[in-house]
Amino acid sequence: DSVDTAGVLSRIIRQVSARRIRIKTFFSEFDSMRTGHCTASQFKRGLALCNFKLVTAADMTALCRRYFNSERDKVNYASFCADVDEAFTQTGLERNPTKTLDCAARTIALGPRHAK
């Protein structure tokens, strides 16, 4: 079973955008040292707390694999949150305030609200 992680991210971005969720808050309680990493089970629990529709256990496992940091033996939830948050803003805008937001996540967020 191969899970399309780009499709899973698209579904999550649409829901985060529609519900105006600050996704990082669901993971920060598992990261008292603020490293941006948590265990795979904590990452899945954070996703479950978000109460996303159409995101299965296999989808969560695929996301864990995609964002896994082998050096720390943990999931890099900060990178996941940054990818999702691109729908709202991009890093470095303070250095280039006239830059347009033209990333894929922004296009997904502004697209149709129904999940496919």
Side-chain angles (χ1 to χ4, degrees):
D1 278 330
S2 177
V3 174
D4 174 26
T5 54
V8 175
L9 273 175
S10 293
R11 291 194 304 270
I12 289 174
I13 288 168
R14 254 189 234 108
Q15 293 177 61
V16 165
S17 174
R19 294 169 38 202
R20 304 285 191 246
I21 297 172
R22 292 184 185 266
I23 195 162
K24 197 169 190 173
T25 60
F26 291 94
F27 298 100
S28 59
E29 71 179 64
F30 302 122
D31 185 15
S32 59
M33 300 296 287
R34 304 294 184 243
T35 62
H37 294 80
C38 63
T39 66
S41 63
Q42 290 170 334
F43 182 77
K44 290 177 185 178
R45 205 170 320 140
L47 287 173
L49 287 171
C50 293
N51 200 26
F52 292 126
K53 294 181 170 102
L54 306 173
V55 177
T56 66
D59 295 339
M60 291 182 199
T61 300
L63 287 174
C64 281
R65 279 196 299 270
R66 179 174 177 164
Y67 291 99
F68 188 76
N69 181 331
S70 57
E71 288 180 14
R72 292 181 176 259
D73 199 31
K74 292 188 174 190
V75 177
N76 185 343
Y77 77 84
S79 179
F80 167 75
C81 293
D83 288 349
V84 172
D85 286 344
E86 276 188 356
F88 305 105
T89 190
Q90 288 180 341
T91 57
L93 284 179
E94 64 276 357
R95 288 179 290 230
N96 189 2
T98 59
K99 181 178 180 180
T100 58
L101 299 176
D102 56 355
C103 66
R106 182 98 175 137
T107 305
I108 292 166
L110 295 175
R113 294 288 186 207
H114 63 281
K116 290 186 176 183

